[in-house]
Amino acid sequence: MCTFFNKILNEVKEKDQSIKLQSNEAIVDTTKEMISFLYEKLESMKRYVLSSNFNSPDDEIHFFKKVKPNIHSLLIFYKHVYNIEITSPIGNGKKSIIHYTDYLEKVSKSNKRYYRNNSFYQYIKSGRTDKDELYFLRYKDNDVIYTGNQSFTFIDFQFTTFYDSVLSLIIAEERLTSYVEDKNKSYTNDQSIANLNWSNSKSSMIELIYALHISKSIPQSNIRKIASVFEQVFDIKLGDIHHTYHRMKYRTDSRTLFLDQLKHALETHLGQNDQ
């Protein structure tokens, strides 16, 4: 049984370490993939446990205290990352910092009833082992009543002691806290960018975006990604950029009005410097 679980732990660790949580667009796709992967691994372990059981109480304690929480906590963490990113506001700076901070506070408040100021929380943080049989053997604590929380997964009591799920919440919140702190630090460092303003029209910005895309000035990047970067940098919502592009094709004067203006402004400035 140890060989089977170690194999899964190594696979999960390797995949987790390979993930780079960077741009929001990539994060959403990556976390969806990771969530599916972790569900699959937990289901695999559940089938193994229910079919093979444990050789001894010590094996069972080790599984529910050391093995399952390491994977279950990752599942909870990546579900939080997915939720926090798909609801993230456009733009950098204060709005984003508030968003990430508020989300973490809601998670902490939700978890508080399970382990804040709780004897189990103190037990885990102090590294004690004297009550492991109560907390990490199934069917030992008959006073536990599951009241419902979306953070809990695999609450089937054949595959949980309840406290292994609480331990998963603790580990997941600690990692989420680090994630939010890193995010807020990066937004704080980008305050100078966040303060940039776009003084021209949205259609002018879209014209520039299409020019950059079509000229392949930004290789290996689709039009939507380029537009997303502009939206974040200038804290602006462009809407349907394809509709604006088609309107450009039917302009009666110049199809590249903004680019023409840019060229004229630069040439004028260069001419003044020559004098």
Side-chain angles (χ1 to χ4, degrees):
M1 185 178 288
C2 287
T3 302
F4 177 78
F5 291 141
N6 285 338
K7 180 177 181 294
I8 290 181
L9 283 172
N10 287 333
E11 290 175 353
V12 169
K13 182 179 179 181
E14 182 178 342
K15 190 170 182 66
D16 178 47
Q17 290 179 341
S18 70
I19 291 176
K20 305 296 183 184
L21 297 177
Q22 296 172 340
S23 67
N24 288 12
E25 182 177 344
I27 289 175
V28 170
D29 292 337
T30 300
T31 51
K32 285 171 64 177
E33 178 186 345
M34 191 64 178
I35 289 167
S36 297
F37 172 78
L38 292 169
Y39 266 117
E40 177 186 329
K41 296 305 176 185
L42 281 167
E43 287 285 4
S44 179
M45 288 199 305
K46 179 180 178 180
R47 289 193 297 269
Y48 196 98
V49 167
L50 297 186
S51 63
S52 303
N53 216 324
F54 298 98
N55 293 326
S56 67
D58 286 343
D59 284 347
E60 183 172 349
I61 288 171
H62 178 75
F63 176 78
F64 285 112
K65 187 176 184 179
K66 300 295 184 181
V67 178
K68 185 187 168 193
N70 280 331
I71 299 178
H72 190 188
S73 64
L74 278 179
L75 175 60
I76 297 171
F77 167 71
Y78 279 106
K79 287 171 72 175
H80 281 313
V81 173
Y82 176 80
N83 289 329
I84 202 172
E85 294 299 344
I86 62 172
T87 56
S88 178
I90 294 173
N92 298 326
K94 292 183 179 179
K95 286 197 300 184
S96 294
I97 292 174
I98 292 171
H99 169 72
Y100 285 99
T101 303
D102 285 351
Y103 187 96
L104 179 60
E105 288 178 354
K106 289 177 182 177
V107 170
S108 297
K109 184 177 180 180
S110 175
N111 290 345
K112 185 176 181 179
R113 55 180 165 161
Y114 291 104
Y115 59 78
R116 293 299 187 198
N117 303 316
N118 178 285
S119 59
F120 176 73
Y121 181 78
Q122 302 301 325
Y123 178 84
I124 290 298
K125 301 309 288 184
S126 64
R128 289 166 54 189
T129 60
D130 53 288
K131 291 186 177 181
D132 279 1
E133 289 191 2
L134 173 65
Y135 291 135
F136 299 110
L137 289 178
R138 290 166 295 177
Y139 316 114
K140 281 293 182 179
D141 190 347
N142 295 323
D143 293 331
V144 170
I145 299 176
Y146 176 59
T147 57
N149 184 300
Q150 67 172 358
S151 295
F152 284 97
T153 312
F154 298 96
I155 202 63
D156 181 348
F157 278 94
Q158 295 180 87
F159 190 58
T160 187
T161 69
F162 178 82
Y163 289 104
D164 70 89
S165 291
V166 177
L167 177 55
S168 297
L169 288 181
I170 294 172
I171 299 171
E173 185 179 337
E174 289 175 347
R175 180 156 176 178
L176 181 65
T177 299
S178 296
Y179 178 79
V180 168
E181 288 175 350
D182 289 343
K183 275 284 191 177
N184 287 347
K185 187 182 298 181
S186 68
Y187 283 124
T188 300
N189 293 337
D190 288 344
Q191 281 296 303
S192 59
I193 296 177
N195 290 330
L196 290 176
N197 294 311
W198 180 263
S199 62
N200 222 303
S201 65
K202 291 183 181 180
S203 61
S204 296
M205 181 182 287
I206 293 171
E207 185 179 326
L208 177 59
I209 289 169
Y210 266 95
L212 292 171
H213 172 63
I214 295 168
S215 66
K216 294 182 170 49
S217 298
I218 307 176
Q220 299 178 333
S221 183
N222 59 46
I223 189 73
R224 187 60 250 178
K225 181 177 287 188
I226 299 173
S228 177
V229 170
F230 272 77
E231 287 180 327
Q232 292 182 42
V233 170
F234 294 104
D235 194 14
I236 191 173
K237 186 67 175 175
L238 291 174
D240 188 349
I241 62 174
H242 300 295
H243 178 70
T244 302
Y245 170 74
H246 286 293
R247 284 169 51 197
M248 288 165 52
K249 294 171 66 175
Y250 297 101
R251 286 175 177 170
T252 57
D253 40 13
S254 171
R255 291 182 174 182
T256 56
L257 183 62
F258 180 60
L259 296 179
D260 293 342
Q261 291 173 355
L262 288 180
K263 180 183 177 182
H264 176 72
L266 180 57
E267 287 182 339
T268 301
H269 182 74
L270 292 172
Q272 290 173 348
N273 289 344
D274 290 338
Q275 296 176 2

